[in-house]
Amino acid sequence: MNSLKKVYERLQNGQLIQKIWEARKQIKPFISSTPLLHSLSLSEKLDSNVYLKLENLQNIGSFKVRGAANKIIHLSEEEKKCGVTTFSTGNHGLAVAYIAQKLGIQSTICISNRVPKAKVEALQKSGAQIEMIGDSQDDAEKYCYELEEKFGMTVVKPFDDPDVIAGQGTIGLEILEEIPDLEAMLVPLSGGGLLAGTALALKSINPSIQVIGVSMDRSPVMYESIKAGEPVVLREQSTLADSLLGGIGLDNEYTFKIIKENVDDFILVSEEEIAEGMGFMMDGHRMVVEGAAAVGIAAVLNKKLSKTYRKVGTIVTGCNVDLSVVTHVLQNYLQKNR
């Protein structure tokens, strides 16, 4: 029975890998092929070559546009007429609103009261209808499915969907095109769409690449789920890496299994380490990035990798952060490092 299950999972993975290659061409009109920066300052600190995939330079300031585009362009004409809805900690909502507007589709974005002001303001300018519900992403998700039932809208899941996973996986293909001998990849981890897609893409080409998920140590739901052997629920806690908040769903169909089978290690970083990663990017590379985008950088700065690699990459996932947070983080960083 277990062997049959493994065969089925391999078939599913093979289909998803094919979807990633197809997505690369299909989403091209909606995304940027972002730069891969060789960070000299990070490389010196790690005594390795460290590369940053700058998804913060996407049009909406986040990698999420890849998965949203790949999902929405695959909807039927009837589904497009009914519109789309999603639940989001901010960036996925921005992505869905952006793609829906490009395609002339109605969109409703459901968010919780925890979504930072900068992302709420960006959503309000996106042309989408915004619904603020409850204190967690789970509350927003529940309302989202009520809209689906009431109006026939299509729910564009933030991560646990084959088309979304495939869209995010295109990042992995772009990285290997520039660094075919990459040895390790640090990927920010929340619900796992980015990590699942990136892991499948990288390992389909080079199975020896070490794929490492990085999350904050406050409510790291996927990390705790993998440890428990099944999806779990955690109470959300305030964090600089707010884009990594939210559950993975007790009925998770894809990301949990893919990550369990294809990810080699996990790293957790503290709030102080995340702030250090954000400050480092502002001071060293003159780039404002959000907390979730800095977790891989934080892991490098604090030498949390279990071994030394010649070439290491991480994904800088987004830049949608309140300026008040940026000011506070930078001031503290400069006081500690000058």
Side-chain angles (χ1 to χ4, degrees), residues 41-143:
S41 48
L42 274 178
S43 297
E44 289 173 2
K45 288 181 179 293
L46 194 62
D47 197 24
S48 301
N49 289 295
V50 182
Y51 299 87
L52 307 177
K53 181 63 168 166
L54 299 178
E55 286 294 294
N56 55 307
L57 300 182
Q58 289 289 354
N59 189 290
I60 65 159
S62 168
F63 77 95
K64 288 282 191 176
V65 69
R66 295 175 183 263
N70 198 46
K71 176 63 178 181
I72 295 172
I73 62 176
H74 281 97
L75 297 181
S76 68
E77 290 306 312
E78 187 60 34
E79 287 171 325
K80 289 176 182 176
K81 286 179 185 177
C82 292
V84 294
T85 182
T86 195
F87 48 100
S88 173
T89 52
N91 285 331
H92 179 67
L94 285 170
V96 170
Y98 174 75
I99 298 299
Q101 186 179 55
K102 284 279 187 182
L103 297 175
I105 300 170
Q106 176 191 353
S107 64
T108 299
I109 313 301
C110 303
I111 59 176
S112 79
N113 294 315
R114 284 186 175 275
V115 174
K117 181 181 176 183
K119 290 175 182 172
V120 174
E121 290 176 349
L123 282 167
Q124 289 169 340
K125 297 173 184 176
S126 70
Q129 181 174 332
I130 311 303
E131 297 286 350
M132 191 170 285
I133 309 292
D135 296 317
S136 72
Q137 181 165 283
D138 290 341
D139 294 333
E141 178 181 2
K142 183 180 177 183
Y143 186 74

Side-chain angles (χ1 to χ4, degrees), residues 13-14 16-18 20-22 24 169-183 196-211 262:
N13 286 351
L16 269 170
I17 291 164
Q18 183 177 337
I20 293 170
W21 283 98
E22 292 170 351
R24 187 180 188 189
T170 58
I171 296 173
L173 300 183
E174 289 180 14
I175 291 168
L176 279 190
E177 192 170 57
E178 293 197 51
I179 317 173
D181 56 346
L182 182 73
E183 293 182 355
T198 303
L200 284 175
L202 295 177
K203 286 186 176 287
S204 70
I205 297 170
N206 182 357
S208 69
I209 292 175
Q210 296 294 289
V211 180
N262 294 277

